[in-house]
Amino acid sequence: MTGSAEVRIPKACVMGHRVGYSRSPLIHRHWLRSSGLRGAYELVDVEPEAFPEFFRNLADRGYVGGNMTTPHKDAAFRLVHHRDGPAEAIGAVNTVWYEGDRLVGGNTDFIGLLASLDESAPGWDDRGPAVVIGAGGAARAVVYGLIGRGLDVGVVNRTPEKAQALVGHFGRRITAHPLSEIERLLPQARLLANASSLGAIGQPRLDIDLASLHPEAVVCDINYVPLKTRLLRAAELRGHRVADGLGMLMHQAVPGFTRWFGSTPRVTPELRALLEADIRGEIAANTDA
């Protein structure tokens, strides 16, 4: 009797809980289609208590790797067999892949940030210093990327103790400040980055007076719903170059796709238009509800 072994197409997923909002499937499925590659990318909702068992058995479930989003990045950091240098330094894992039988964890958020800034505001990093709003996991990735480019960073946060923790984590190039001090820091800043959820839909507003911000400063925001946050709109009105969260989202997805599917995708205007239309549709649906 003759026959051929079944050819299994590579399959990856994004793992989170209550993550129907994730745009990762849109991104990776678009790249698969446009590249003509065989592959699949799924959204998997996993409750925190079930995550360790699901995660440890990704290969048995047919996955070659995947992404983690809220609330599983810290758990993935603990559970992988090995972490790359950036994930180790940042303290969180958002992308995993197999090297043999070992599940390896990386963090691509800082790659997304830097690529988005390079694309939107070339030369943004030739001056410094930077001011970063927020002190959570996303802020750790942002700070890691910025100090890697040689910038000194002032971290401001509503809870100063959390900002101080980043000083202990990253060292002498970081200073910690309460959010009330931000306007004192703005005249020297050449980059202002919102790495908190403030200003996103459903979150408290981020109220900052940009009047004292250096005129050459670049402003970025990791949030992408709404597509143009209040902070970015205010910065554009003052003539500042800006980088939005959608750019970071698209660029951080590139390394994972490359590892899982063996081809390096491109971030294109077509992909951005696809994501923008989806986000506008969500906002309109929620407004009508």
Side-chain angles (χ1 to χ4, degrees):
M1 182 176 177
T2 62
S4 58
E6 180 185 355
V7 177
R8 296 177 63 183
I9 66 170
K11 182 174 71 167
C13 65
V14 57
M15 294 159 270
H17 184 46
R18 299 188 179 122
V19 288
Y21 63 84
S22 175
R23 266 73 191 186
S24 291
L26 268 178
I27 294 172
H28 291 286
R29 291 169 186 170
H30 170 79
W31 282 336
L32 286 167
R33 286 192 307 271
S34 60
S35 303
L37 294 172
R38 296 187 67 194
Y41 189 94
E42 301 172 351
L43 187 150
V44 180
D45 194 300
V46 188
E47 294 186 355
E49 56 271 21
F51 178 73
E53 189 276 334
F54 184 94
F55 185 74
R56 289 190 184 102
N57 296 288
L58 277 179
D60 293 339
R61 300 174 190 277
Y63 294 110
V64 296
N67 294 120
M68 269 62 56
T69 186
T70 305
H72 300 322
K73 290 184 182 183
D74 291 340
F77 179 86
R78 297 189 299 270
L79 291 168
V80 291
H81 298 121
H82 176 73
R83 296 182 286 266
D84 69 8
E88 194 73 56
I90 293 166
V93 161
N94 77 329
T95 304
V96 294
W97 63 93
Y98 281 97
E99 294 182 2
D101 293 331
R102 293 197 314 166
L103 189 58
V104 180
N107 193 303
T108 65
D109 284 336
F110 81 98
I111 295 173
L113 171 82
L114 297 178
S116 177
L117 282 166
D118 289 341
E119 180 180 70
S120 300
W124 65 271
D125 57 347
D126 62 3
R127 296 174 181 85
V131 173
V132 173
I133 302 164
R140 291 201 305 270
V142 168
V143 170
Y144 175 82
L146 297 181
I147 61 177
R149 287 289 183 93
L151 275 66
D152 293 323
V153 182
V155 177
V156 298
N157 196 60
R158 288 174 294 184
T159 307
E161 294 78 13
K162 290 184 177 179
Q164 189 62 46
L166 267 70
V167 176
H169 190 78
F170 288 111
R172 61 183 180 81
R173 302 202 71 159
I174 313 300
T175 56
H177 311 269
L179 189 55
S180 59
E181 287 187 7
I182 190 168
E183 290 176 16
R184 179 179 65 80
L185 301 172
L186 292 182
Q188 289 76 43
R190 296 301 188 273
L191 175 71
L192 173 62
N194 179 28
S196 75
S197 62
L198 294 174
I201 285 183
Q203 299 295 325
R205 282 173 46 160
L206 177 60
D207 288 316
I208 298 174
D209 185 355
L210 298 181
S212 62
L213 182 63
H214 193 283
E216 295 181 5
V218 174
V219 179
C220 68
D221 197 321
I222 69 167
N223 298 298
Y224 57 88
V225 182
L227 287 163
K228 194 66 65 74
T229 63
R230 191 166 178 264
L231 174 66
L232 295 186
R233 291 199 308 270
E236 284 187 328
L237 285 173
R238 288 178 44 81
H240 295 281
R241 294 185 295 169
V242 303
D244 63 25
L246 198 54
M248 179 177 173
L249 177 73
M250 294 185 292
H251 284 287
Q252 66 80 33
V254 170
F257 187 95
T258 303
R259 288 189 179 275
W260 306 321
F261 304 114
S263 175
T264 301
R266 292 175 55 242
V267 172
T268 60
E270 182 185 8
L271 175 60
R272 174 175 279 275
L274 177 71
L275 293 167
E276 286 184 353
D278 186 70
I279 292 166
R280 289 193 183 100
E282 175 196 335
I283 293 172
N286 289 337
T287 301
D288 293 340

